Amino acid sequence: MEGENGENRAEGSIQGYESLHRLLESNLKPELFKEVSRIILGLNCGSPLEHITLPENATSLSSKFNFDLQAFSFKADKEMLREPRVVRVGLIQNSISLPTTAHYADQKKAIMEKIKPMIDAAGASGVNILCLQEAWMMPFAFCTREKKWCEFAEPVDGESTQFLQDLSRKYNMVIVSPILERDLKHGEIIWNTAVVIGNHGNIIGIHRKNHIPRVGDFNESTYYMEGNTGHPVFETAYGKIAINICYGRHHPLNWMAFGLNGAEIVFNPSATVGELSEPMWPIEARNAAIANSYYVGSINRVGTETFPNAFTSGDGKPAHMDFGHFYGSSHFSGPDSSSTPSLSRYRDGLLISDLDLNLCRQIKDKWAFRMTARYEMYADLLKRYLEPGFEPQVIVDPALRKPEHR
């Protein structure tokens, strides 16, 4: 794991999305920066996103516990027949707190103690819905393929859920908690699961990760397989939400299915490292928000996690003890192509945004993606594609055919 000096050197040589935006702001003339910002971050109802002023008790928590805190507002056009439907939503990214060699109970307790001030800051800021990162209650040990990390798995109503239920009741907040689930009713098998906790502390339901990465010999199916919960949308007190867990963001039909079920906000809790996916990070979620006319909240953990035993990643490199740098950079994307700047690439953080859900319908009306889609054609193609005798619809240029020998 890199120390502080190593991180500083890396930050000087590798500019994250938000770092690049700040660099451009400090080096470009105001009018040119305004145009560059429009292209990078888009416009919301014709204007840049506005910053939100948060209460002092939230900003003081940010200073005391050294986490990045940013807040923005997505607006919608004023309507004649509907009042604005503004919901305040938060995303938390964090590093682990203790070495991976520490007792598992101590590791879990330390992570809870780390994120509690961030949840308190969200509560003090009036956040209605909060989402944590993938498998937030443990190190992201799935790269090791060692079964001992299954000890972190919990039932849906386990320790992590109970911890968040108290905070949910305290702050009248819906909390999405992605955990490693142990399914006690089905032979104690393991799932990668998001638990949706209602604002009264009740468990609304769960969603299990639909797509499992198999990249080189990084294969999460060592621990869990594809989920069996479909594409549920959870109607909460504050809006209709869904969870597209990590690797599912690479599958456009996965995003589409949540939209077809009526999602207004889709969270993408993730754990992904720079060398593997960073160029994709600001693109996929933003594209999903545009294509499906909903908001997307993208969360990625932060830091470099070192494990006691070396492992390989199928990339031809020698065995190593860390998976790479989790680059944070959590952000929101709007259905009108606007996007917030991202959180830090190196620090824990809380990103807050006011989302006017009326914008979802307004963009549907403007672009008519649902109305102009050809679902019957897609359905027919997919049905034929799944048949063993499928023949791709390819029309060959006759000039490419070899002349017959006479």
Side-chain angles (χ1 to χ4, degrees), residues 287-305:
N287 185 65
I290 296 167
N292 297 288
S293 304
Y294 52 49
Y295 290 96
V296 174
S298 303
I299 314 103
N300 184 28
R301 69 171 56 204
V302 67
T304 305
E305 300 175 3

Side-chain angles (χ1 to χ4, degrees), residues 20-38:
L20 176 61
H21 196 254
R22 288 196 300 266
L23 181 68
L24 291 171
E25 184 175 18
S26 62
N27 285 278
L28 295 178
K29 294 180 179 179
E31 286 304 311
L32 183 56
F33 170 73
K34 182 178 179 181
E35 182 65 7
V36 171
S37 183
R38 179 186 70 83

Side-chain angles (χ1 to χ4, degrees), residues 1 9 25 56 69 106 118 137 162 193-194 202 211-212 252 262 268 277 295 298 301 322 330 347 379:
M1 184 181 296
R9 286 196 300 271
E25 184 175 18
E56 190 277 333
L69 177 62
D106 294 335
M118 288 188 274
M137 27 63 80
Q162 293 170 25
T193 300
N202 55 306
H211 297 276
I212 305 302
N268 179 224
S277 66
Y295 290 96
S298 303
R301 69 171 56 204
D322 68 79
S330 303
R347 296 172 62 205

Side-chain angles (χ1 to χ4, degrees), residues 176-189:
V176 179
S177 173
I179 65 169
L180 189 64
E181 178 200 352
R182 184 175 295 279
D183 187 353
L184 299 181
K185 294 182 179 180
H186 296 90
E188 297 201 14
I189 61 174

Side-chain angles (χ1 to χ4, degrees), residues 45-270:
C45 296
S47 301
L49 294 179
E50 297 179 3
H51 288 267
I52 297 172
T53 301
L54 297 177
E56 190 277 333
N57 50 347
T59 57
S60 63
L61 284 168
S62 169
S63 298
K64 180 178 180 180
F65 293 97
N66 189 31
F67 60 86
D68 190 10
L69 177 62
Q70 300 186 45
F72 301 90
S73 176
F74 290 84
K75 300 184 182 303
D77 290 331
K78 185 176 181 180
E79 298 186 15
M80 299 288 285
L81 300 179
R82 291 195 303 175
E83 293 296 319
R85 299 174 58 228
V86 179
V87 56
R88 182 161 287 190
V89 184
L91 313 175
I92 287 180
Q93 66 178 42
N94 60 275
S95 58
I96 59 175
S97 296
L98 295 179
T100 58
T101 52
H103 193 286
Y104 292 175
D106 294 335
Q107 289 190 55
K108 186 181 294 188
K109 180 181 178 182
I111 292 174
M112 289 180 180
E113 290 175 348
K114 168 178 273 205
I115 72 161
K116 186 178 182 301
M118 288 188 274
I119 298 177
D120 290 336
S125 301
V127 166
N128 304 124
I129 307 173
L130 181 69
C131 187
L132 308 182
Q133 67 196 23
E134 182 184 21
W136 68 270
M137 27 63 80
M138 62 179 292
F140 197 75
F142 311 132
C143 53
T144 70
R145 301 184 296 282
E146 295 174 331
K147 287 291 190 174
K148 63 182 182 180
W149 305 104
C150 290
E151 286 194 53
F152 277 97
E154 305 177 4
V156 166
D157 59 354
E159 180 183 8
S160 295
T161 299
Q162 293 170 25
F163 164 71
L164 294 173
Q165 283 176 304
D166 289 341
L167 293 165
S168 176
R169 283 187 286 263
K170 179 178 180 179
Y171 293 118
N172 195 30
M173 182 192 297
V174 173
I175 301 179
V176 179
S177 173
I179 65 169
L180 189 64
E181 178 200 352
R182 184 175 295 279
D183 187 353
L184 299 181
K185 294 182 179 180
H186 296 90
E188 297 201 14
I189 61 174
I190 307 296
W191 303 98
N192 187 321
T193 300
V195 182
V196 181
I197 302 169
N199 56 307
H200 299 294
N202 55 306
I203 297 175
I204 298 176
I206 64 170
H207 173 58
R208 291 167 174 159
K209 186 173 182 175
N210 278 334
H211 297 276
I212 305 302
R214 294 168 175 85
V215 182
D217 59 2
F218 172 61
N219 189 337
E220 291 178 18
S221 59
T222 301
Y223 300 89
Y224 41 77
M225 299 299 289
E226 285 79 5
N228 58 2
T229 53
H231 295 87
V233 170
F234 302 91
E235 185 167 2
T236 73
Y238 306 114
K240 294 179 179 179
I241 67 173
I243 307 98
N244 183 2
I245 302 174
C246 199
Y247 190 73
R249 72 181 178 277
H250 304 308
H251 295 269
L253 291 179
N254 205 46
W255 288 110
M256 183 181 74
F258 293 117
L260 293 179
N261 281 329
E264 297 170 307
I265 306 168
V266 178
F267 295 102
N268 179 224
S270 299

Side-chain angles (χ1 to χ4, degrees), residues 302-349:
V302 67
T304 305
E305 300 175 3
T306 302
F307 295 94
N309 299 318
F311 56 90
T312 58
S313 296
D315 53 9
K317 295 181 180 179
H320 40 80
M321 292 183 166
D322 68 79
F323 187 41
H325 176 69
F326 296 102
Y327 51 84
S329 303
S330 303
H331 63 280
F332 282 101
S333 303
D336 60 353
S337 82
S338 57
S339 178
T340 66
S342 63
L343 288 177
S344 170
R345 198 172 181 275
Y346 294 95
R347 296 172 62 205
D348 298 340

